[in-house]
Structures are given as C-alpha cells and as structure tokens.
Amino acid sequence: MNHGFARPWRDTLLLAVSAVTLFGGVTAGYAQSTIKWLHLEANADRLKTWQDIAAAYEAEHPDVKIEFQFLENEAFKAKLPTLLQSNDAPSMFYTWGGGVLKAQSETGAIRDVTAAMDADGGAWRNSISPAAVDGLSIDGKVWAAPIQSGLVSFFYNKALFEKAGVDASAIATWDDFLAAVSKLKEAGITPIAGGGGDKWPLHFYWSYLAMREAGQDGFAAAKGGEGFTGEAFVKASQHLVDLGALEPFQEGYLGATWPDTQAVFADGRAAIILSFENTATPQNQANAATDGKGLAEDAIGRFAFPLVEGGAGVITDDFGGLNGWVVTANAPPETEDFLKYFTSKDNAAKLAEFNNILPTTLGADVGVKDPSLAESAAQMAKATWHQNFLDQDLGPNVGRVVNDMSVELVSGQISPEDALQQIEDAFSLEM
C-alpha cells in the first residue's frame, strides 16, 4: 500500500489514461525533445500549477515539449513495470522511494541523477534538504529528484479534548497518551479514528513506537541485518497491544478505509486521528466529512507523536513520506534540467503555496501559507531523522507484513513475539 502526497488515488477515480500537451508559445513542429511526464495527480487545480511551471520552461526552451500523462494509482502500480521495459516508457515518473525505488534502480530501466545533482559545484544538490536527498539515494547514488515530504502527527478535536478535560500540551510520553485515551473514554467520547481496513494507517503507530524505542541507530542496525526481533521492537509491539486493549477506536474500525477514518474525525465522532500532513490536514478532513465541511480549521489541534520512557528515540525523529521524480534510462537529457528547474526555490515555493505541499527545497517553505502545514514544516526543519513510511522503505513484501502485523497487534490477534517473527521472516527473504 502506498502513501503518496496529495493522495488522489485514495479517491474514487475514473480509471483512465490521458495525455495533455502544453505549449509554451511554440508549436510542436519546432520541438526536438519531448519529456513525457507520468503522474498521478487527479486534482485539476494542483495539476495547473505543474502545467504553468512546465509552460514557463517550454517558453525558455523552445526545443523542448513537455507531455503530461496521467494514470490512476492502481493502474500506475500495475502498468509501470511493463511501461519501463517498453518503447512507451515515460521520461519521468512519481516515486515514494524506499524498496520499490531500490528495485527499479537494479533493473537498468532508470538512471541516477547524481551527476546532474553534483554539476556546477553541487548547485542542485545543495539547494535540496540533505535528508531528502539521502532518503532517495541508494549506495551513494541519487535515484530521484526530491520534491516534497510529509509528517505524521496526531491531530485532535479541541472541543472534545476540552469536554474531557484533556490537555494536549501535557502529552509528552506514551503513558501520557494512554492516560488521555482513558480520560476521553470516561467522558463518553470515542478517543481515536482508526483505519484498520486499509491497514497502513495503523502501521503509523507501530512505526513510530519502534522509532521511539530503538532510535535511529537501533533502527539502522535492524535494517542492516540485526533484524526486528530485538528488545526495542518487542517493547514497541507491546505498546501497540496496550493501546488496543483500551478499545480506543470507533466501532467497526477494522473494516474502515482511510476516507471512512477521516470522516469519523471530521464529523466529530472521534477526538484524535494519527494522520500524515503533506497537504493540509484541515482541508483534507473537510473534504472527507459527511457534510462536506468538517471541523473548522481553528477547531483542530496538533501534537507530535510522544516519546516512550527509556527509549532511544528523540522527539525530533520524524516519520512520514518522501516523494520525488525518477528519470528513466532513455529520457531526453533535458529531463534533469527540467527537474532542476521544477525543484528550484521559486517553483517549489509556488507548489507550497498553491498546492499546499511541504517542499524539500531549502527556503521554499516561505510559500507555505496554511497554518497547519506551517507547523509541520517548522517541526520538520528541526528533524534529526526523517524515516520514510515503512511499507515503502522496507519494500512491498515486508511492508505488507508490517501493515498486517500492526492491525493484528492492536486488535489483540497476535503476540509481539509472533508478529515480529513474521516481519523478520519476510525481511530475511529480502536480504
């Protein structure tokens, strides 16, 4: 299961492939190179920002034409491997990074952008957040141009917290969080909107708890070969079992999709949601609400995932997505130049302002106007470690098991030891 930013594929979309050709004041007959841009953006307003940037580039480069190609998310995942081996391969396409990007890098179907990043004294590389560049690098080579990041945080209904007498600013540890959940229940309020049907929303909990217990070094050691059965991961899994024992979620949460889960929070039927912020959460929940309006922006608060007492993690260790653009092996040489242009400070700031994203270009956060996004951007600016979604980072096979085990742990269907053994078994097959 993938987590992108803007998440248009979570919506019910018409499964279609369309192409839109932009003209920057030059007819196609003069174009010598065509950059085929494969994307998943179904939102017309967000797409227009891209189109405007592409048209400006075309105007400055009359020998280049940029052709937009759309695939709905599931079609993208199903068709991309075949497209990459065909004569119809796109020039550039969207990536969530992680194990999928690593696998693509080993096929010869894509090319690394390291040389372009390091040209002119590293001008392009130095304009992007180092954590973002590292996050899309494999064995020292940069395999995608970062464009946006995201942050998973807790969002809460201020009125329901006030009704239950819960002070969000006092939630510093996991025990504090569990106490808040209990207090909400005592007040007759459903504490958390949970999405067990899609599974990946619950893997957010296990991932953060594992980060908080193991810390960056411990997590790196696990991925480096030590595995995921150590004490820190047992403790993290037990924390998730403890949460589930409080029965904190809405009735029927095990079958709830992500849109269902957002609606539960937006309708005021639960006080808390653990959500990703790559586009503005207040806006997203409003779109999911039963009445189409949801909670007012000033009715929603936010706090970072708490620490666990005695854990190696720190509050500035962040978890969320990381997205970029991959260049294919036979793409025109102008593709890297366009991506450098697209990710420039001015253009990234436009994307931040008009598309409500968290940009990875340094200084582009001046374009972040949404207050909620601005809070996330400020937190990410202090990040000591940004961990990509585990169902991306560990690859699709291991990620699927992590998602499954997260649901089984929180619902009391499996012990921490048995869950971790299943994760370890899947991970060992990938080593």
Side-chain angles (χ1 to χ4, degrees):
M1 195 65 68
N2 290 320
H3 314 290
F5 293 104
R7 297 193 183 251
W9 51 91
R10 301 295 183 200
D11 303 330
T12 302
L13 302 174
L14 176 66
L15 183 60
V17 180
S18 63
V20 179
T21 302
L22 304 180
F23 298 89
V26 180
T27 62
Y30 292 102
Q32 297 174 354
S33 294
T34 299
I35 297 173
K36 294 184 288 186
W37 183 350
L38 180 62
H39 68 93
L40 304 89
E41 183 55 81
N43 183 296
D45 292 334
R46 291 174 181 148
L47 183 59
K48 184 180 184 302
T49 310
W50 294 359
Q51 291 171 337
D52 289 346
I53 293 172
Y57 183 84
E58 287 179 324
E60 295 179 15
H61 302 81
D63 57 342
V64 177
K65 180 178 71 171
I66 299 174
E67 180 183 279
F68 283 78
Q69 301 173 335
F70 168 77
L71 276 176
E72 185 270 340
N73 181 61
E74 295 306 315
F76 174 85
K77 290 184 288 183
K79 295 183 177 182
L80 183 61
T82 301
L83 280 174
L84 292 180
Q85 301 298 329
S86 75
N87 293 328
D88 295 322
S91 306
M92 52 183 275
F93 63 89
Y94 194 71
T95 183
W96 295 272
V100 173
L101 179 62
K102 183 177 186 296
Q104 290 167 343
S105 74
E106 296 167 349
T107 65
I110 67 175
R111 68 181 184 231
D112 70 272
V113 297
T114 312
M117 280 268 177
D118 291 336
D120 301 322
W124 189 10
R125 179 189 289 269
N126 294 333
S127 71
I128 307 292
S129 161
V133 175
D134 289 346
L136 294 178
S137 297
I138 300 166
D139 296 330
K141 293 183 178 180
V142 188
W143 287 96
I147 187 63
Q148 63 191 47
S149 190
L151 178 66
V152 172
S153 305
F154 279 114
F155 295 84
Y156 67 96
N157 184 316
K158 291 180 180 179
L160 294 181
F161 264 45
E162 183 177 357
K163 180 180 177 181
V166 175
D167 179 5
S169 67
I171 300 176
T173 68
W174 184 247
D175 287 342
D176 294 335
F177 180 74
L178 295 183
V181 167
S182 296
K183 203 166 185 179
L184 286 161
K185 286 203 72 170
E186 291 168 4
I189 297 167
T190 298
I192 308 174
D198 281 338
K199 297 187 178 181
W200 57 260
L202 296 183
H203 112 286
F204 291 171
Y205 288 88
W206 188 85
S207 302
Y208 249 133
L209 287 166
M211 289 174 64
R212 296 298 192 239
E213 281 287 0
Q216 185 175 9
D217 290 344
F219 216 88
K223 291 196 296 181
E226 288 188 7
F228 293 89
T229 58
E231 182 181 2
F233 297 99
V234 173
K235 288 181 177 179
S237 301
Q238 185 59 51
H239 291 318
L240 190 51
V241 171
D242 295 342
L243 174 64
L246 296 178
E247 299 184 347
F249 302 111
Q250 78 276 14
E251 185 176 350
Y253 80 96
L254 286 175
T257 64
W258 182 241
D260 296 335
T261 307
Q262 288 182 300
V264 169
F265 179 73
D267 293 348
R269 291 181 276 137
I272 303 169
I273 187 170
L274 184 58
S275 182
F276 52 89
E277 182 134 73
N278 51 289
T279 57
T281 292
Q283 175 186 326
N284 293 337
Q285 62 86 32
N287 293 337
T290 302
D291 63 2
K293 298 178 181 179
L295 302 172
E297 186 172 309
D298 60 2
I300 301 173
R302 174 189 165 280
F303 59 93
F305 197 97
L307 297 174
V308 295
E309 293 185 8
V314 295
I315 200 67
T316 50
D317 291 342
D318 288 339
F319 174 74
L322 177 62
N323 301 90
W325 296 98
V326 179
V327 178
T328 55
N330 297 319
E334 294 87 352
T335 308
E336 282 92 342
D337 186 65
F338 170 68
L339 281 171
K340 181 179 178 181
Y341 178 84
F342 184 66
T343 59
S344 68
K345 179 179 175 181
D346 288 346
N347 285 327
K350 290 177 184 176
L351 292 167
E353 179 176 1
F354 298 113
N355 289 17
N356 276 332
I357 69 163
L358 288 170
T360 51
T361 300
L362 298 173
D365 55 355
V366 297
V368 177
K369 305 301 182 185
D370 179 88
S372 181
L373 276 179
E375 283 187 27
S376 291
Q379 181 176 335
M380 290 182 66
K382 303 173 184 176
T384 47
W385 168 32
H386 184 77
Q387 172 60 49
N388 196 4
F389 294 122
L390 291 188
D391 60 353
Q392 293 299 317
D393 188 50
L394 299 178
N397 295 327
V398 182
R400 191 177 304 111
V401 177
V402 169
N403 289 345
D404 290 345
M405 291 305 99
S406 296
V407 173
E408 293 192 20
L409 283 165
V410 80
S411 59
Q413 300 177 52
I414 196 169
S415 70
E417 292 77 11
D418 288 346
L420 292 173
Q421 190 59 56
Q422 291 201 31
I423 293 172
E424 182 62 21
D425 290 345
F427 184 71
S428 297
L429 293 175
E430 299 291 325
M431 294 292 288

